[in-house]
Amino acid sequence: MVCLESMKKFRCFKQISNNVKTETRLSLGEYNRAVSWSKYLVSTGAEIKGEGEEDWSADMSQLFIGNKFASGRHSRIYRGIYKQRDVAIKLMSQPEEDENLATVLEKHFTSEVALLFRLRHPNIITFVAACKKPPVFCIITEYLAGGSLRKYLHQQEPHSVPFHLVLKLALDIARGMQFLHAEGILHRDLKSENLLLGEDMCVKVADFGISCFESQCGSAKGFTGTYRWMAPEMIKEKQHTKKVDVYSFGIVLWELLTALIPFDDMTPEQAAFAVCQKNARPPLPHTCPKAFSNLIKKCWSRNPKKRPHFDEIVATLESYLESLNQNPEFFSPVPPPPTHSCFARCIDGSNSMSS
């Protein structure tokens, strides 16, 4: 359950954010053409603050924005320095001609900062500061040199990630998600692109723009997630629970094992249709250890109630680690079933006849 103090902080932040009036927005043309949104964060040398924002508001005179290294649908991420610390700077801007998008982006900013502000865990991205200076919103987090898990997997040959590394990465992700769910938070966009790697291959869960407290999530009406990783109930815009993250974790575990993109032979819309209407899932490789295949199938079950909680997932993966430490051959692929004796005799007989 979410503690009362945390809920008070969340309500307080929402009130602060609602009191900040947006006076300027980029035209849609500027929004699409802008080489760098950072130019809209021209510092006056003073802190950008509103009443009650002292705990999270950035001192823009201490922020240096460097080169862009990643882009999202409605965000751009730059490397920078804040108070002599390497940071990642996520910028979001509100286009002038799209009122709905502007409202959604502001809501995402509010939600992401409110959640990040209170999260401290080794497998969760560390929040540093934020600012709201129309037309640009800015979220500053720690910088992780390893980039996204998706980028790392893209650099690997298919099916080449060692099983012991798959287990290590999966445990990091599961522990981060276990912590989130214990705080009553749904991520709702868990995928390899939103999982970041430190230099020591430590995975941290990132990008909380569409996350929410479980008690406030409601239905998925108008939801903007990523179909290839999305649970069937979310695709259908139904009421959903923490188990949507478990489904996504199953897809991510499949990614770790294959280094491939799920449903890469389909458009996102085709993948959504196949998942919902045909109960389709990405094919498990024949070399997949039974321990992993069993866990994946449980995680991406059509019925959310049959999916395990992250407490169970962490316990399962930890048991795998213990078994692997005791027996290095624990993940050895299951040998193919022997050829049926009758079938073998028939082949032998046909061979003898032909000779």
Side-chain angles (χ1 to χ4, degrees):
M1 293 180 65
V2 182
C3 65
L4 289 175
E5 182 180 352
S6 299
M7 292 300 293
K8 286 178 181 177
K9 281 184 180 178
F10 182 72
R11 285 195 294 268
C12 176
F13 181 85
K14 286 187 72 175
Q15 184 176 4
I16 291 164
S17 301
N18 290 338
N19 289 338
V20 179
K21 293 184 178 179
T22 302
E23 298 174 354
T24 312
R25 289 182 185 157
L26 300 182
S27 71
L28 196 56
E30 288 176 309
Y31 177 81
N32 291 327
R33 290 193 307 269
V35 175
S36 173
W37 291 343
S38 61
K39 66 182 180 180
Y40 296 97
L41 287 173
V42 178
S43 173
T44 59
E47 291 184 271
I48 310 299
K49 285 184 178 177
E51 184 181 353
E53 295 178 9
E54 289 79 4
D55 289 334
W56 59 264
S57 187
D59 180 352
M60 300 304 287
S61 67
Q62 299 289 314
L63 179 65
F64 171 79
I65 301 178
N67 294 327
K68 181 179 72 174
F69 67 87
S71 297
R73 189 180 303 171
H74 304 300
S75 63
R76 297 177 182 180
I77 304 176
Y78 298 78
R79 188 171 180 179
I81 298 174
Y82 182 70
K83 295 183 177 180
Q84 301 182 332
R85 174 182 183 177
D86 281 342
V87 293
I89 305 153
K90 178 179 178 179
L91 302 184
M92 296 171 280
S93 183
Q94 296 179 297
E96 186 178 50
E97 289 103 329
D98 193 333
E99 192 69 33
N100 290 335
L101 177 57
T103 301
V104 167
L105 292 177
E106 183 168 3
K107 182 179 178 181
H108 287 181
F109 170 82
T110 302
S111 173
E112 187 163 8
V113 175
L115 295 175
L116 279 171
F117 180 68
R118 61 185 290 268
L119 298 177
R120 290 291 181 271
H121 187 273
N123 300 116
I124 300 291
I125 193 78
T126 300
F127 174 74
V128 176
C131 82
K132 192 173 186 180
K133 188 178 182 182
V136 171
F137 300 153
C138 168
I139 297 176
I140 305 169
T141 63
E142 66 177 317
Y143 174 76
L144 295 177
S148 73
L149 180 60
R150 179 68 258 155
K151 178 182 176 183
Y152 168 78
L153 292 174
H154 180 70
Q155 296 168 344
Q156 312 306 308
E157 290 294 324
H159 313 289
S160 68
V161 181
F163 293 140
H164 71 272
L165 181 55
V166 170
L167 178 58
K168 186 259 186 242
L169 298 173
L171 253 175
D172 281 354
I173 299 165
R175 285 168 176 159
M177 294 305 302
Q178 179 187 36
F179 171 76
L180 275 186
H181 283 192
E183 295 291 306
I185 296 167
L186 279 66
H187 188 281
R188 303 204 297 177
D189 199 18
L190 184 62
K191 58 183 180 180
S192 53
E193 194 68 39
N194 291 338
L195 297 164
L196 304 181
L197 292 169
E199 292 179 346
D200 56 354
M201 293 297 286
C202 172
V203 188
K204 299 200 176 189
V205 182
D207 202 334
F208 294 85
I210 52 179
S211 302
C212 66
F213 287 108
E214 186 170 26
S215 60
Q216 300 172 340
C217 281
S219 73
K221 191 73 174 176
F223 184 78
T224 55
T226 315
Y227 283 146
R228 299 180 195 277
W229 288 263
M230 197 186 294
E233 62 269 28
M234 291 198 70
I235 295 174
K236 295 177 180 178
E237 299 188 340
K238 292 183 176 181
Q239 292 286 122
H240 53 277
T241 66
K242 295 174 183 176
K243 296 298 185 71
V244 296
D245 288 338
V246 174
Y247 177 95
S248 299
F249 176 80
I251 301 291
V252 171
L253 185 49
W254 178 90
E255 283 186 274
L256 290 172
L257 287 162
T258 64
L260 300 172
I261 295 175
F263 304 110
D264 62 347
D265 59 340
M266 303 181 188
T267 66
E269 293 75 16
Q270 287 171 336
F273 178 84
V275 167
C276 289
Q277 303 302 322
K278 300 182 180 180
N279 200 31
R281 302 292 184 269
L284 286 164
H286 69 275
T287 55
C288 180
K290 194 170 183 63
F292 280 137
S293 64
N294 286 343
L295 179 58
I296 290 173
K297 289 174 183 177
K298 287 180 182 178
C299 288
W300 67 27
S301 171
R302 177 193 286 268
N303 184 349
K305 293 180 180 179
K306 292 185 178 180
R307 300 172 202 157
H309 291 280
F310 272 104
D311 287 343
E312 182 182 340
I313 293 172
V314 169
T316 299
L317 292 173
E318 286 177 342
S319 73
Y320 293 173
L321 181 59
E322 184 177 346
S323 297
L324 184 64
N325 289 335
Q326 293 174 358
N327 175 18
E329 301 299 315
F330 175 71
F331 284 130
S332 294
V334 178
T339 305
H340 194 280
S341 57
C342 175
F343 181 70
R345 284 196 302 270
C346 290
I347 290 186
D348 287 340
S350 62
N351 287 338
S352 61
M353 287 173 65
S354 62
S355 61

